[in-house]
Amino acid sequence: MAVRASREIVIDAPPEAVLDAIADIEAVPTWSSVHKHAHIVDRYDDGRPRLVKVTVKSLGLVDHELLEYHWGRDWVVWDADRTAQQHAQHGEYTLSREGTATRVRFDITLEPSTPLPHFLIKRAKKTVLTAATEGLRGFVLAGKGSLQPE
């Protein structure tokens, strides 16, 4: 059964700064408690990550994922190959300018490889949503997100 979660926040920064922070993949473990390691395998011609290997830990379970990213002017999406812990994953950030700030919507859908009790799903959702939104906000506001091709 697929698990879906979403959250919206406003970050006091322009959309370009938010996308640059998201694109700084190798820094993700510094602001996301779920991510233990992130490495860019391949980039698009503009420097944005295309294929990324990550190690994540949630509910005490460690997983290794290969993510394929696609980028737009005000969005980014990724899909994960099948892993030991999940059959599929789709994530996305959608951005919209609000004056000098940016409304950020984060959506994730994943299909665990084994059924999980509701209370564990609820705990995992909270952890992932907090990392993906509040963690991102802190990183952007600290001014640390920047696109730096290898």
Side-chain angles (χ1 to χ4, degrees):
M1 180 175 91
V3 176
R4 292 177 179 81
S6 62
R7 181 178 287 171
E8 283 190 17
I9 63 167
V10 175
I11 299 177
D12 192 20
E16 300 80 17
V18 176
L19 275 180
D20 281 352
I22 296 168
D24 193 352
I25 295 293
E26 288 165 340
V28 170
T30 68
W31 57 264
S32 169
S33 62
V34 176
H35 291 81
K36 302 306 171 194
H37 179 74
H39 172 73
I40 298 169
V41 176
D42 188 37
R43 294 179 185 268
Y44 289 102
D45 291 340
D46 67 358
R48 296 269 190 221
R50 186 177 82 78
L51 291 176
V52 173
K53 284 185 180 180
V54 297
T55 301
V56 295
K57 184 176 181 182
S58 183
L59 302 175
L61 300 173
V62 175
D63 206 8
H64 304 282
E65 302 171 352
L66 180 62
L67 309 174
E68 183 173 1
Y69 281 78
H70 298 279
W71 301 85
R73 279 190 34 206
D74 57 0
W75 55 267
V76 58
V77 301
W78 66 89
D79 291 288
D81 285 345
R82 181 184 205 118
T83 68
Q85 304 299 332
Q86 64 187 9
H87 293 300
Q89 179 189 126
H90 176 81
E92 52 190 81
Y93 282 102
T94 307
L95 314 178
S96 57
R97 187 179 297 274
E98 289 192 359
T100 59
T102 303
R103 176 166 298 279
V104 178
R105 179 176 175 88
F106 173 74
D107 293 282
I108 189 161
T109 303
L110 63 90
E111 188 175 333
S113 58
T114 60
L116 297 170
H118 180 71
F119 78 94
L120 286 179
I121 291 172
K122 186 176 177 182
R123 186 182 328 158
K125 280 183 179 183
K126 181 179 180 184
T127 301
V128 168
L129 292 174
T130 299
T133 56
E134 298 302 330
L136 175 62
R137 182 194 337 248
F139 186 66
V140 170
L141 295 180
K144 296 183 179 179
S146 63
L147 183 61
Q148 299 171 1
E150 291 178 336

